[in-house]
Amino acid sequence: MFRYYLLLFLLSIAVIGCAPSGSESAETQPTATETHDDEDHEDDHEDEDHADDHDDDDHDDSQREHGAHEHGAAELTIAWSGNRLAVDLDTPAFNVLGFEYAPSSDAEIAFADESVAFLETGAFLQFSPAADCALVSADIHTEFSEDEHEDEHEEDDHADEEEGTHSDIEAAYSVECQQPDQLTELDIAALFSQFPNFEDLQVQWVSDTQQSADTLTSDNTTLSFE
């Protein structure tokens, strides 16, 4: 019993000794003015940070917008599941046509139609022969439909159109392989030879078991799936 009361007594002394005195509390307690000034300073700092973040966002958006449409560059994405592959090509029209305004002359229209027809064949998608792959469907989207040709004939100044126009061509392919376990690579040399304006192709692919990315050029036209 004596040890119990002694323990309580020592604990009470320790608590009282650790408690700050009134003068100490007064010294450590900031005044209302100091608190207000600190809050104002923090608000100013937050405003500056917000402004900096806004500038950074604008800069990042500008970079993304510029990077999304760059002549010579294009993107190829491949989603592979089982024996089916979905292949998407997104490229500036310049890489395919050499211009980005809607074709109006007979020569421009014929060249555009020929180029789109080549893309529709998917002939540049050369998968491993042992995989026995075949094109199931192709969907080519351009901004130069035949209905727009007549309207564009009425435009006299193509230079002004080209300066303010950024047109893309999107091609979506569905491919089926009879021996998907034999699919080890994709060669797109025909794309670079058919359209010399292509400089580099950023490729991303994903399958049921793995994923990877690569950059293909006219000197490196083969994508490995291994």
Side-chain angles (χ1 to χ4, degrees):
M1 182 65 70
F2 175 75
R3 290 177 60 183
Y4 174 75
Y5 285 115
L6 178 61
L7 180 60
L8 290 178
F9 177 72
L10 293 175
L11 288 175
S12 63
I13 293 177
V15 171
I16 295 173
C18 293
S21 63
S23 58
E24 290 176 343
S25 299
E27 290 177 357
T28 57
Q29 182 69 28
T31 64
T33 303
E34 291 174 344
T35 303
H36 182 71
D37 291 342
D38 290 341
E39 291 176 351
D40 290 343
H41 179 70
E42 290 177 359
D43 291 341
D44 292 341
H45 185 65
E46 290 176 358
D47 291 341
E48 292 175 357
D49 289 342
H50 180 70
D52 292 339
D53 292 341
H54 183 70
D55 292 340
D56 291 340
D57 291 341
D58 289 343
H59 180 67
D60 292 341
D61 290 343
S62 176
Q63 285 185 330
R64 285 193 293 268
E65 182 178 355
H66 175 73
H69 189 99
E70 180 181 353
H71 291 179
E75 296 179 353
L76 186 72
T77 57
I78 302 172
W80 173 10
S81 179
N83 67 337
R84 282 297 187 107
L85 291 89
V87 183
D88 294 314
L89 173 66
D90 189 357
T91 174
F94 174 84
N95 295 347
V96 175
L97 304 177
F99 53 84
E100 296 202 331
Y101 52 83
S104 60
S105 68
D106 291 340
E108 289 175 344
I109 294 174
F111 180 69
D113 291 342
E114 177 184 346
S115 299
V116 170
F118 175 83
L119 290 176
E120 286 177 340
T121 66
F124 68 93
L125 298 172
Q126 295 295 314
F127 294 95
S128 305
D132 191 13
C133 299
L135 181 68
V136 176
S137 64
D139 181 18
I140 314 300
H141 175 73
T142 73
E143 300 182 3
F144 314 124
S145 66
E146 293 183 359
D147 293 338
E148 293 175 341
H149 288 163
E150 294 183 1
D151 294 337
E152 297 300 334
H153 281 158
E154 300 176 0
E155 299 293 336
D156 297 328
D157 192 356
H158 279 172
D160 291 341
E161 292 180 16
E162 184 175 8
E163 181 180 355
T165 300
H166 294 295
S167 302
D168 291 331
I169 294 178
E170 299 175 354
Y173 304 92
S174 178
V175 177
E176 184 176 291
C177 300
Q178 298 302 319
Q179 302 294 330
D181 56 333
Q182 299 297 315
L183 181 57
T184 59
E185 64 180 28
L186 166 64
D187 190 351
I188 60 166
L191 182 69
F192 290 98
S193 60
Q194 180 73 19
F195 305 117
N197 289 326
F198 277 91
E199 297 177 6
D200 58 82
L201 188 63
Q202 301 295 324
V203 184
Q204 290 186 329
W205 66 272
V206 57
S207 70
D208 294 326
T209 59
Q210 57 185 326
Q211 62 182 15
S212 187
D214 200 358
T215 300
L216 302 181
T217 66
S218 58
D219 296 326
N220 174 34
T221 63
T222 303
L223 173 69
S224 175
F225 292 116
E226 296 181 326

